[in-house]
Amino acid sequence: MRRRTIIAGLSWAAAGWPLAPWAQEQPRVAALWPFVDGGAEGRSLAHTFRSALRDHGRTTLQIDDRWGGADVERTRALAAEIVQSNPQVIFAFLNAQLSALSALTKTIPIVFVGASDPVTSGYVASLQRPGGNITGFTLYEASLAGKWLAALREAAPTIRHVTLLSNPNTEVRRGAFYSEALTTTGAAIGIETEVVLVTTADAIDPVVAGLGRRGDAGLIVAPGTFSEANGDRIVALTAQHRVPTVFAIRRFAHRGGLMSYGPDPADAVRRAASYVDRILHGEKPATLPVQAPTKFDFIVNLKTARTLGLTISSALLAQADEIVE
């Protein structure tokens, strides 16, 4: 395995923070996660969040984790409990969690990670000046769809059709966020594309089976709460039906997906912890700019490629940050 990291970020300095109004009491942060309680991925990111806050000197900070998984109604119920408990800051991971929380409070500061297109979605007034009680760190932008498609075509040159799998309940613009970039890139490189919306885990099976029967099709799995919860199922199905697949979420390339390309969520969580700390020091979310990812990883699973009968070009491998052998 080899690794190459490219980092380019927004630099800023903070000085002269005002004393926070709750400085004399024990501060409390609530975090809403799109994972099930006890799941390894969620626990790892929650540990990263705590560790980053400790690095900022928050050794006694109380953090209440809530685990909604992919259940939209449970996520809404947990959001209501969090807002009712009135913490000093709320942390929201991914769009569905922010959507549930933002509908309930305009006063409690919220720091998000992973909500794409926050201006169009109405969460903030602008990226540079959010203007309300919400700020944070995006993970995915619409143009990534073109990069996923191009990488899939280079890895599997015989594909003629690619489906982007999305969920309308937990993803941006009800699953249509990537449609334009997907269509434009597909037309440019001669690939038929479509976006398929699924609302239940069982609905994934016939989509992947249908692509497998075609024999010339690939799959892109859009990021979001739904794919976080069902990624392992998709990996198993695409292996069974021999469908080349690219994920946005990195761990699924390690678990058997052909490729992944996307930002490092742990890096974004660490950066979000710095915003939580600054807000606890008295700064306002309204003046903290929404920031884009600083770190993207392209991972290729050569073992999966061989299983699918694909020979990955040296040019594509040269672009990989990690190669799983």
Side-chain angles (χ1 to χ4, degrees):
M1 177 182 294
R2 65 187 176 83
R3 182 168 183 84
R4 177 178 42 131
T5 301
I6 300 173
I7 301 178
L10 174 68
S11 64
W12 39 258
W17 284 328
L19 183 65
W22 48 80
Q24 301 305 315
E25 62 183 72
Q26 176 68 28
R28 184 170 58 86
V29 173
L32 184 56
W33 301 94
F35 308 99
V36 296
D37 191 2
E41 290 78 23
R43 289 295 175 185
S44 176
L45 286 175
H47 174 76
T48 297
F49 186 55
R50 282 171 163 75
S51 177
L53 284 165
R54 284 196 298 271
D55 290 343
H56 287 281
R58 298 287 175 180
T59 57
T60 61
L61 179 65
Q62 180 183 343
I63 303 174
D64 297 332
D65 291 311
R66 306 296 177 94
W67 308 94
D71 187 326
V72 175
E73 292 306 317
R74 174 172 171 75
T75 295
R76 290 172 179 164
L78 290 174
E81 290 179 11
I82 288 172
V83 172
Q84 182 65 29
S85 72
N86 196 35
Q88 275 72 47
V89 185
I90 302 173
F91 172 78
F93 191 80
L94 297 187
N95 186 73
Q97 290 62 41
L98 177 58
S99 177
L101 289 161
S102 65
L104 299 175
T105 180
K106 303 300 181 187
T107 56
I108 302 174
I110 299 174
V111 176
F112 69 81
V113 163
S116 300
D117 203 14
V119 176
T120 302
S121 299
Y123 300 130
V124 300
S126 73
L127 298 182
Q128 285 301 314
R129 300 283 297 184
N133 66 314
I134 297 172
T135 188
F137 298 80
T138 62
L139 285 178
Y140 305 102
E141 58 183 34
S143 64
L144 285 173
K147 298 177 182 179
W148 296 325
L149 183 58
L152 195 56
R153 173 61 178 275
E154 189 166 351
T158 60
I159 63 172
R160 297 292 178 267
H161 175 94
V162 171
T163 290
L164 186 142
L165 189 72
S166 190
N167 176 271
N169 297 323
T170 64
E171 290 156 24
V172 181
R173 298 183 194 168
R174 296 194 60 80
F177 183 56
Y178 303 103
S179 298
E180 183 177 350
L182 184 73
T183 301
T184 301
T185 303
I189 63 178
I191 293 181
E192 177 187 47
T193 61
E194 67 172 339
V195 176
V196 173
L197 303 179
V198 293
T199 57
T200 65
D202 289 341
I204 300 169
D205 300 47
V207 174
V208 178
L211 294 174
R213 286 192 296 270
R214 287 184 60 115
D216 65 347
L219 179 68
I220 297 170
V221 182
T225 297
F226 186 81
S227 54
E228 289 277 2
N230 294 287
D232 288 326
R233 181 181 191 138
I234 297 170
V235 168
L237 286 168
T238 54
Q240 176 187 345
H241 296 286
R242 300 180 60 81
V243 178
T245 303
V246 59
F247 291 84
I249 300 169
R250 53 182 288 125
R251 71 176 180 274
F252 297 121
H254 286 279
R255 293 181 179 180
L258 176 61
M259 296 182 297
S260 69
Y261 179 74
D264 181 355
D267 180 67
V269 166
R270 283 189 289 268
R271 297 170 72 203
S274 70
Y275 268 17
V276 171
D277 178 64
R278 291 175 70 175
I279 291 168
L280 289 172
H281 272 101
E283 292 197 56
K284 303 298 183 184
T287 62
L288 296 174
V290 175
Q291 297 190 39
T294 62
K295 187 177 179 183
F296 287 83
D297 294 322
F298 178 41
I299 302 172
V300 178
N301 190 315
L302 277 184
K303 181 179 179 181
T304 299
R306 288 192 291 268
T307 300
L308 295 172
L310 299 174
T311 300
I312 306 298
S313 69
S314 57
L316 189 60
L317 290 177
Q319 298 175 51
D321 300 288
E322 293 185 31
I323 298 174
V324 181
E325 310 256 13

